[in-house]
Structure formats: structure tokens, C-alpha cells
Amino acid sequence: MIVDGHQDIAMAMLEDAEWDFSAPASEQHALSLVDAKRGGIGLILGTIFAPAGYWKDGSPFEGAQRQIECYDQLLKRHADDLFRVESKGDLKLCQRGGPIGLLHLMEGADPIRSPRDLERWAERGVRVVGIAWNTGNRYCGAWDDARALTAEGRRLVAHMRTARVIPDVSHLKPEAFDDVLSVDDGLVVASHSNAHALQDHRRNLTDDQIRAIAERDGLVGLVLYDEFLAGSASTLDTVLDHAEHMLALVGPDHIGLGSDLDGGFPPDRAPAGIDSVADLRRIGEGLVARGVDDAAVAKILGGNWIRVLQRTLPT
């Protein structure tokens, strides 16, 4: 079973009213229900993406509400094929080949008006929260902002453990990354990040950061975007290189997938050889061809996300 830890489904649907999620992936999209089923995907973390200023016709809270409602309609329309995961038991249904499970990851905490609101978002399926996207907010500075975590941001991170929500450190500058780890000693993830040692980009993680996530029993989700893989002209082998680099650093228990294949870039900016989410299994096939054993590949393709979510979801 494959778990994709980062897909901007609602954002893509709201930006492209003509997109038919039930049809095979088009030239504009690398994701569809047909391709997810064909590719053996058992669970998707569909994002809530509503940083301040991105949705011009409403506040971050209103933008997030629109996206939750979009997911609600999607689940209703495709009830035979999709369901919202609410418990550890639901994860077992995904693993047994049932309908594709859907959970939510909030990319940038701008819609969260107060840390006390976290429980309500968790009830709607939000189980992972990135404190900031590329722009700063009340909780955290961005790359062009001198702030790391604000006092309110530290309260938000501290409250995540109570609300059974996992902090996502993708997009954070190093000072904010360190702040998150200093506030709480629990589990963290980087839902969609690659290895800085192979591609010198500010969105990628240093070896020390990857080790720090592993020490918290978290994971790093490989993101399939040219710019974060090689700058341009990446291939499946480029993805495998990033995976093998992390394997050498932290072993197979702390790597996953966070493809972001509908994350605001066209499919031609994905690695050559991966045309849609149906091709995610090729990452596993490539790792096996390089000598990685089947058990380790199963963890990378989905098992590690399952383990992380089992630590968080209610019984």
C-alpha cells in the first residue's frame, strides 16, 4: 500500500473548476481518483492550503473552510472509493485494500485563529500542521522575516500534542525548525522535503535536520518537484538518489512520500518517468533494483506514514 503524504487536491479543484477528479490524469494534473486506484494508493494527506493573501476573496479561515467543504463534497460524491480516516482502526481498513483514506495536512497555520481552535480542526480531519508556508504569519516568520517562532507560535506547537496534531517542519527556515524541536520533544515530520546535500535549495533539509527528525521517530516525505530534486531535468533516478542518501543517514524507518504532484506545478516539472500518482510504485521498484530489500521499500512507500499516524489518531 502506498501513502502519499502531500496532495493539494482541494486547492487544485478550486483553482480549476473544469478539473474532473474522477477522470484519468490530464496534461494539467498528475492526480486523479482513477490513477490513485490504479497505482495502489491507500491513503492521501490532502492539504488545506490557505496562507494569508493567497485566496484573494476571503480570509485564511474562510479559504480553509472552503477547502474542507470541497473535501466533504468529494467524499460524498465518491463514497465507494474515498473515506475520511478518523481512527487507528480506519488505517487498518486502508491497509486491507478498502476505500482510499483521506486525512488533512494544513500547509501554513494561518487559518488557525487561536491554538485553542486546533481540536476543532482535528475533528474535521486535520492531523498534520505546518506552522508557516513561504510567507510569515502570527505564529512564525518566513525566509525574508527575522522572526522564527513567535510566542503565539510556541503556544501553538505546545498545544499540538494535546490536540493530537503532528508539527510539519517543511518550509521552515533553520531557526524556526530548531524552535519547533525546542518547544516539544515529540514526533515531527517534514511532509514534503528532499536532501539539501544533493540539491542546495532552501526548501531541502540538511543531514543534521534529517537526523533530528529521525531521532523523534518522524519521517521525511520525498517531494517530486524538479526544483527540489535537481533544479531541472530530474528523473526517477534523481528521486532514488535522494531516497538512498536518507537511507544511509537514518535507515528505512524515517522516509516516506509527499509527492505534491498537484502542488501548483505542472506535471512536466515532475521527474521524467513519473507522469501521475499511478507511477509512485516505480520508486519502490527502483529501490528494489538498487538492492533495497522489500521490507524497507514497504516502509518507505507507506508503512512509515501509517506508523506515524497510528501514534496520533484516536483509538
Side-chain angles (χ1 to χ4, degrees), residues 49 51 54 107-110 130-137 141-143 171-172:
F49 179 75
Y54 189 88
E107 188 171 12
D110 306 51
I131 296 83
W133 182 59
N134 291 335
T135 52
N137 55 33
W143 284 86
H171 282 287
L172 297 187

Side-chain angles (χ1 to χ4, degrees), residues 11-77:
M11 181 192 80
M13 294 186 76
L14 290 171
E15 288 189 334
D16 182 0
E18 301 300 316
W19 181 33
D20 182 359
F21 183 71
S22 62
S26 66
E27 291 183 1
Q28 288 75 40
H29 297 280
L31 172 68
S32 74
L33 181 57
V34 172
D35 292 285
K37 292 169 67 176
R38 183 164 60 91
I41 294 178
L43 177 65
I44 297 171
L45 273 73
T47 70
I48 307 295
F49 179 75
Y54 189 88
W55 299 99
K56 305 299 190 296
D57 56 348
S59 68
F61 177 81
E62 291 166 334
Q65 289 287 88
R66 285 175 63 201
Q67 289 175 64
I68 282 285
E69 289 164 7
C70 182
Y71 285 119
D72 288 345
Q73 291 301 313
L74 194 68
L75 289 164
K76 189 180 298 184
R77 197 176 308 126

